[in-house]
Amino acid sequence: MNVDPANPRKPQKAEKQRRSQAERTEATRTALIAAARRLFTERGYDGVGTEEIVRAAGVTRGALYHHFGGKAELLEAVYERLEAESTERVARIVLGSELESPLEAMKAGIEAFLDECAEPELQRIALHDAPAVLGWDRWREIAAANGLGLIEASLAAAIEAGEIRALPVKPLAHLLLGALDEAAMLVARSDDPVARAEVTTVLLALLESFAVADAP
């Protein structure tokens, strides 16, 4: 780094300014995402205006459009944050489980995933507003970016342990992700109190269908 002999602290000052700008940018984004997340959960995407979001976030309308481009892009950021947090919680159960059986850990993961989908913000934002506003392709892309790797890792561990058949991991993971997404949608949109139990039974049966009969 070239240092001005007359002002050796100049590079340090410039670096500090860059950090401060980055911190302000992150603070603004965080405030907008937090405000939108709360308001979308309470009243849904269509029931919340941009003016209310920026007022709740304590920023200007221009800041919203500068950082996100508009309300739809802000919803996308909220959905990405929700998916990342939810997947991390499920991963802690699956990968950090004390269960010695990878297959049993995957079953615990299914229960944890459905528990996540029962949360109001996941139901409203991830399973209702996001697919409607972002479109199925983008909605699925974000879900896969977060959950597909966990499913692949879990399947690979179960295959290595000899608990499920040695099927191609990648297509099997995509099919299971699709089943989980449909299960979440079914439960979120059903008023039937037994829907969750029935969906869980079917998902566990689907997973068991890949099991090796004489697995250790």
Side-chain angles (χ1 to χ4, degrees), residues 44-184:
Y45 178 85
D46 291 334
V48 178
T50 55
E51 286 295 340
E52 185 176 3
I53 295 171
V54 298
R55 186 166 59 251
V59 303
T60 66
R61 186 182 179 89
L64 187 155
Y65 286 97
H66 173 72
H67 291 288
F68 294 102
K71 192 169 77 161
E73 290 82 359
L74 179 55
L75 172 69
E76 182 173 324
V78 172
Y79 171 49
E80 287 179 323
R81 181 72 58 86
L82 284 172
E83 279 290 321
E85 292 174 357
S86 176
T87 300
E88 183 179 352
R89 288 190 292 267
V90 174
R92 283 201 297 267
I93 290 174
V94 176
L95 303 179
S97 173
E98 295 181 357
L99 295 170
E100 295 182 1
S101 162
L103 182 59
E104 291 304 313
M106 288 183 71
K107 292 178 182 178
I110 286 175
E111 293 281 5
F113 171 77
L114 292 176
D115 285 342
E116 289 289 322
C117 294
E119 293 298 320
E121 61 180 4
L122 265 294
Q123 283 197 356
R124 169 66 81 169
I125 298 172
L127 299 175
H128 186 274
D129 288 340
V133 176
L134 305 179
W136 190 90
D137 287 341
R138 181 58 181 150
W139 175 78
R140 172 63 185 238
E141 182 182 4
I142 293 171
N146 284 279
L148 190 60
L150 175 61
I151 296 173
E152 289 180 352
S154 300
L155 287 171
I159 290 172
E160 185 177 355
E163 293 186 326
I164 66 174
R165 287 176 284 156
L167 296 167
V169 170
K170 192 169 290 292
L172 181 55
H174 276 276
L175 290 172
L176 286 179
L177 178 63
L180 288 169
D181 286 343
E182 286 300 317

